[in-house]
Amino acid sequence: MKRRFFAVVCVTASLLTACGTLPGSGTHRRTVTVWLMKDSASKDFLKRFTEDFERRHGDLRLDIRIQEWTGIGEKVQAALKRDDRAAPDVIEVGNTQVAQYVDRGGLSDMTLESMRDWGMDDWLPGLAVPGRFGSNQYGIPWYAANRVVIYRKDLFAGAGIKQPPKTREQWLTDTERLNSGGNQGIYLAGQDWYTLSGFIWDEDGDLAEESSPGHWEGTLDTPAALRGMDFYRHLQRLGDGPAGADEEHPPQSGVFARGRVAQIVAVPGLVQAIEQVNPDLKGKLGFFPVPGRTAAKPGAVFTGGSDLVVPENTDDRPGATAVVAALAGAKWQTELARTMNYVPNKTTLAHAVAGEAGAAAMAAGAAQGRATPSSPQWAAVEANNPIKDCMTKILGGADPATEARHASDRITTILAPDGG
């Protein structure tokens, strides 16, 4: 087992590893090593969190180590097998990555704490569900970000649209009105499968479903999924988005900034890139949640973000759970959301970002958020994505049912236990 006991007297080498021990107390602190991802939280936030945590937990010291996303999967897998003082006690992972780590072993089951102490019933589903394996909770929701509609207020006003649409039907009507006079009603790339996923979920469909424990089948050819694709097709044609490319090729921020585009579907943070290219758009951009089938609630959206996990090989589970409890608790969730313009991990904390238009729109959509199927093999689907090919072919005039069936078969093969 790891032994990590440090003396009180220490000289901090960085803001993130301040000792915080009362001078002359003679008390020893146990060090809790935390891996967080680059840019997930600001240095100032981490400094404030560390100082507050160590003040409240006189027996613990934090060692926060920032990680790069590139290559993190292999690094985490290796860490879960280590048994030395350098191994992390708490790790931030992408919400859709939890399943692969659980499948290979090495994560602590946090179900008891989640139910008893952490209010899991209020967690955002797009963070909580991917962190669950069977009936056990391994990933604890930390923060979320999801797509909203970014729109030009001036083009909406010029088209006589006084308020953003709240239903998909009204969204189509408004977008058709905007798609005139040299304007694009919306720029929606043909392979934006994240946005398509939301429309499919709105129709009570899914990308794949677990037919029996560990066995997944592609479901793009179900009636519900085909209805979602049909809505996508109608919306996408109200602009000049390329059928054979995704939202990054070319980057839709540049297209929006340089052209007369009324709307895009993106995370609010993209506005910074848009205004950098075209400063004239400052003050002209607004946000609204992706509309739903009815005005009663926004549409479903893909939820990105992070969960916190505790490796089984930690020798200080109490210290690790104390860190998770603090980072995922109301105080620091509120601080993180306001500092980074994220969505807090609970629907009951959405008020924390009510004063920021983009984050508020995200929070409204996040309540209907979902994530990709929790198969450990899902990353292989994204690596050679049959959904994208299917979308391009359907937008090009191919039979939707036929192409969806082919894509579903491919997904089923990739998700097979042997990886196809």
Side-chain angles (χ1 to χ4, degrees), residues 83-387:
D83 189 21
D84 58 62
R85 60 186 293 175
D89 300 291
V90 178
I91 307 175
E92 174 195 351
V93 300
N95 61 323
T96 61
Q97 296 175 336
V98 178
Q100 61 181 293
Y101 300 138
V102 175
D103 184 61
R104 298 179 186 180
L107 294 188
S108 293
D109 182 352
M110 311 293 284
T111 308
L112 176 61
E113 293 88 347
S114 300
M115 297 176 63
R116 182 188 63 197
D117 305 321
W118 298 339
M120 65 184 299
D121 290 343
D122 294 325
W123 283 341
L124 296 177
L127 295 179
V129 175
R132 192 173 302 145
F133 201 78
S135 59
N136 299 328
Q137 194 75 40
Y138 295 89
I140 307 306
W142 191 27
Y143 68 83
N146 50 267
R147 289 161 178 76
V148 301
V149 182
I150 302 174
Y151 74 101
R152 282 186 54 169
K153 298 177 182 178
D154 56 335
L155 297 185
F156 269 57
I161 302 172
K162 297 182 179 180
Q163 61 182 11
K166 292 187 176 181
T167 68
R168 293 197 332 197
E169 182 179 1
Q170 187 62 49
W171 193 19
L172 282 178
T173 299
D174 290 348
T175 303
E176 190 163 12
R177 183 185 301 180
L178 289 160
N179 193 45
S180 63
N183 300 329
Q184 288 190 60
I186 189 169
Y187 180 85
L188 184 60
Q191 295 184 347
D192 186 352
W193 69 279
Y194 292 112
T195 297
L196 169 65
S197 298
F199 301 155
I200 291 175
W201 292 327
D202 254 359
E203 296 288 347
D204 296 324
D206 211 335
L207 309 177
E209 294 181 352
E210 195 171 18
S211 55
S212 61
H215 294 271
W216 292 80
E217 295 182 0
T219 53
L220 288 178
D221 56 337
T222 61
L226 289 171
R227 290 195 300 271
M229 183 65 216
D230 189 56
F231 178 80
Y232 188 98
R233 181 175 61 83
H234 280 85
L235 184 66
Q236 197 270 343
R237 68 179 177 82
L238 299 175
D240 297 331
D246 61 25
E247 66 276 14
E248 293 299 326
H249 301 89
Q252 62 177 342
S253 58
V255 176
F256 189 82
R258 297 185 181 94
R260 293 185 61 82
V261 178
Q263 309 169 85
I264 56 173
V265 180
V267 293
L270 204 65
V271 164
Q272 296 178 3
I274 293 168
E275 292 178 345
Q276 186 174 11
V277 174
N278 186 356
D280 290 340
L281 290 179
K282 289 185 177 180
K284 296 180 180 179
L285 304 181
F287 312 89
F288 60 88
V290 173
R293 294 177 62 189
T294 71
K297 61 183 180 181
V301 289
F302 172 79
T303 301
S306 289
D307 283 9
L308 300 170
V309 299
V310 174
E312 279 187 323
N313 62 3
T314 178
D315 65 350
D316 194 352
R317 182 185 170 97
T321 56
V323 172
V324 173
L327 285 172
K331 175 181 179 178
W332 290 104
Q333 278 294 298
T334 299
E335 289 287 327
L336 184 66
R338 291 174 176 169
T339 300
M340 304 299 295
N341 286 331
Y342 291 147
V343 179
N345 64 1
K346 290 184 176 181
T347 56
T348 53
L349 295 176
H351 60 84
V353 293
E356 205 289 316
M362 276 201 301
Q368 319 303 325
R370 299 275 295 272
T372 51
S374 56
S375 164
Q377 283 81 37
W378 184 259
V381 174
E382 296 188 25
N384 187 18
N385 201 322
I387 306 172

Side-chain angles (χ1 to χ4, degrees), residues 15-30:
L15 292 176
L16 304 185
T17 58
C19 183
T21 311
L22 293 175
S25 67
T27 304
H28 289 73
R29 288 180 178 244
R30 309 189 315 274

